[in-house]
Amino acid sequence: MNKQQGIEEAIAQIPHGAVIMVGGFGSPGTPFSLINELLRQGQKNLTLIKNDANEKSVGISKLIENGQVSKLITTHIGLNKGVIEMMNSGTLDVEFHPQGILAEKIRIAGSGCFGFLSDIGLDSEITNSSQLIEWQGKTLKVESALGAQYALIHAERADPYGNLVYSSSAMNFCPLMAMAADHVIAETPHVERIGDLMPESIHTPCVFVSAIVHLDTLTKEYDVMEARFGY
Amino acid sequence: MDIDKIAKRASQEIRAGQVINLGIGLPTMVMEYLPDDLEVLIHSENGVLGTWKKTPRELARPQLIDAGGNYITMRDGGSIFDSAVSFAIIRRAKLDLSIMGAFEVDQQGNLANWKIPGRFSPGIGGAMELAQKTTKVIVLCTHNDKYGKPKILRNCTLPLTGAHCVSRIITDKAVMDVSKDGLILREMSSNMELIDLISQTEADLIIPNNMERF
């Protein structure tokens, strides 16, 4: 039941054309080391699902700038002008969702269901009439569950079984994505012994996790301001 | 600075006991004008209830940011949760007030702030759910864009974030309330003449007798 793997081995399982969820909201929760290994290995034609595009030359922005990503499913890329320009020029396909709707689509996939009904944005251009149904006297939008083949997650702590604990606002999409992908790779700077994590403090139970990658050090990317301004 | 004036004026909208979301950029600046003993809970989309003022980098926890990517502190009584819970709070209408930015806003209370087709489309983020589900939405923006064109319109031209969702608009030049007959001018900047304000505003302005200065 020991799921620890080396980073090269863990990322090498991802093929060209994979659909990959990436945890993180801005920097916290973003698995920078797993992303950097994906950059090094060079898998192409990827579809990424992430809240945002990180900032220029940081996180998944590196994969996008390197031409490895054909489609980005996201909510907000306002802090990354380069990615907006790639979207405008047609070199990157970007699909926007309201942030909580994206979270819920992922949560629903992770709970083994197929969709839900929402009243968000019915009058806006993100809705077309084929998505609307009448339900109990209301007009509502059918939102499909959104799963993926892979999820890349950063956890503050883990154990060899794959139990995960997140830190502070690095939680964000991570526990949702960790349940919604077929193959979940989690990186962490702290691998504890079996039994050392308090059972009731575990955010993601190990059954959802496929691989644990232990990080010896955290690069400067993990520090928001370091990444942004190069202090 | 215009934006400091807007943020300072907007801070007066916040009351003790409220649960509030502040949007990225200008709305987040409002927090810096709040007294430290004001009992409020500020929600940030990335999963924090109880965010508080920015913290110097040397005191920051790298894993604790607000939705705009600023290192923040937290108030006692705050909580941290995942993104699904964060938006359950919004869609279940647990926020009393949402303060948001705008590319355009109009006299029907329509808001456009996510897409300028072909130019600058930051994306929806939390804006659609906040605009649609928050009890009270206040928009902050400069009165005119950098070319001097009005942002306060009769009808928004950009794709909408939310329809009929805005109740108050605060700019560097005016404070206006949305009504079915047009925008009611509640306050005007102390350095403005009424004739200039009208010429710099596309929306129909209703001027009450008790209009104040700020």
Side-chain angles (χ1 to χ4, degrees):
Chain A
M1 296 189 73
N2 186 344
K3 295 174 183 164
Q4 291 186 87
Q5 288 184 5
I7 193 165
E8 184 173 354
E9 176 193 6
I11 294 298
Q13 298 165 56
I14 299 176
H16 295 295
V19 178
I20 310 172
M21 290 178 169
V22 183
F25 188 120
S27 283
T30 301
F32 291 107
S33 300
L34 298 180
I35 291 167
N36 287 339
E37 180 61 19
L38 194 55
L39 183 76
R40 193 187 70 79
Q41 294 189 14
Q43 285 90 331
K44 290 199 173 6
N45 195 26
L46 304 173
T47 294
L48 298 187
I49 303 167
K50 188 182 188 293
N51 175 65
D52 54 84
N54 290 116
E55 298 181 39
K56 185 179 186 304
S57 303
V58 176
I60 66 162
S61 191
K62 289 182 184 174
L63 299 173
I64 296 169
E65 291 161 27
N66 196 39
Q68 290 173 252
V69 181
S70 52
K71 182 172 182 179
L72 175 64
I73 299 173
T74 188
T75 81
H76 194 273
I77 57 174
L79 297 179
N80 195 323
K81 287 201 169 66
V83 170
I84 291 177
E85 283 167 17
M86 289 177 72
M87 172 178 70
N88 290 344
S89 68
T91 51
L92 177 70
D93 182 12
V94 177
E95 180 180 307
F96 284 121
H97 293 275
Q99 197 166 101
I101 297 300
L102 183 67
E104 198 64 15
K105 286 163 83 75
I106 296 167
R107 191 185 76 85
I108 290 294
S111 63
C113 297
F114 299 91
F116 62 99
L117 301 178
S118 155
D119 66 348
I120 298 299
L122 302 191
D123 300 330
S124 75
E125 68 166 49
I126 64 165
T127 300
N128 67 59
S129 58
S130 70
Q131 297 167 302
L132 298 176
I133 65 164
E134 296 299 316
W135 185 259
Q136 297 181 342
K138 292 191 176 79
T139 300
L140 296 170
K141 181 177 180 180
V142 178
E143 293 281 4
S144 302
L146 180 64
Q149 296 164 289
Y150 295 89
L152 307 181
I153 300 295
H154 180 87
E156 176 68 11
R157 292 177 190 284
D159 67 19
Y161 283 0
N163 291 304
L164 305 180
V165 175
Y166 309 105
S167 168
S168 198
S169 68
M171 183 183 293
N172 56 67
F173 280 77
C174 292
L176 310 171
M177 291 176 168
M179 293 172 66
D182 300 332
H183 189 96
V184 176
I185 304 168
E187 56 161 59
T188 180
H190 304 290
V191 179
E192 310 288 351
R193 291 179 307 179
I194 299 292
D196 279 3
L197 294 175
M198 293 266 287
E200 62 269 41
S201 71
I202 291 168
H203 294 120
T204 296
C206 64
V207 291
F208 292 107
V209 177
S210 317
I212 294 291
V213 173
H214 181 225
L215 306 176
D216 293 326
T217 55
L218 295 182
T219 61
K220 288 180 175 179
E221 285 179 289
Y222 290 87
D223 185 329
V224 183
M225 296 300 162
E226 194 85 49
R228 188 181 295 173
F229 301 117
Y231 276 100
Chain B
M1 290 291 287
D2 290 347
I3 55 172
D4 295 310
K5 185 180 174 84
I6 299 169
K8 189 174 179 185
R9 174 59 189 82
S11 70
Q12 297 168 21
E13 301 289 323
I14 293 174
R15 301 279 174 270
Q18 286 182 322
V19 183
I20 303 156
N21 183 283
L22 301 176
I24 295 175
L26 171 55
T28 297
M29 291 171 57
V30 173
M31 187 152 41
E32 303 300 323
Y33 292 93
L34 298 178
D36 282 320
D37 59 355
L38 185 67
E39 197 170 29
V40 291
L41 282 174
I42 296 176
H43 171 271
S44 190
E45 293 95 303
N46 57 327
V48 187
L49 186 62
T51 74
W52 198 236
K53 297 177 184 181
K54 287 185 209 175
T55 186
R57 187 174 173 282
E58 56 274 19
L59 298 176
R61 294 170 61 191
Q63 306 282 14
L64 181 58
I65 63 167
D66 65 14
N70 303 297
Y71 284 137
I72 52 165
T73 53
M74 279 185 72
R75 294 286 290 261
D76 289 347
S79 50
I80 289 177
F81 30 78
D82 69 47
S83 294
V85 173
S86 186
F87 280 82
I89 289 172
I90 296 169
R91 290 194 305 270
R92 293 274 287 114
K94 301 299 181 185
L95 301 181
D96 300 303
L97 172 65
S98 186
I99 300 184
M100 307 176 75
F103 297 148
E104 295 176 345
V105 58
D106 72 25
Q107 65 194 54
Q108 286 93 50
N110 298 321
L111 169 65
N113 73 357
W114 77 276
K115 184 175 188 180
I116 303 177
R119 280 178 48 213
F120 182 72
S121 297
I124 301 160
M128 264 187 199
E129 288 153 289
L130 286 163
Q132 190 174 327
K133 294 293 187 179
T134 309
T135 310
K136 182 175 185 182
V137 174
I138 297 177
V139 160
L140 310 186
C141 61
T142 54
H143 205 86
N144 303 88
D145 70 15
K146 60 186 175 186
Y147 307 107
K149 283 170 53 185
K151 290 186 183 179
I152 318 301
L153 306 178
R154 288 198 181 91
N155 292 291
C156 287
T157 64
L158 296 170
L160 291 188
T161 305
H164 309 294
C165 58
V166 179
S167 56
R168 172 164 279 197
I169 304 164
I170 301 175
T171 75
D172 48 314
K173 294 170 183 167
V175 178
M176 297 153 285
D177 283 339
V178 175
S179 80
K180 62 182 186 340
D181 302 316
L183 292 181
I184 303 169
L185 181 62
R186 296 295 183 195
E187 298 173 33
M188 186 167 67
S189 172
S190 52
N191 57 6
M192 284 298 293
E193 296 296 333
L194 187 56
I195 189 168
D196 296 327
L197 183 73
I198 291 169
S199 75
Q200 292 165 19
T201 309
E202 186 195 284
D204 300 313
L205 287 179
I206 299 165
I207 321 291
N209 293 329
N210 57 349
M211 192 260 297
E212 292 181 22
R213 294 281 187 167
F214 78 108

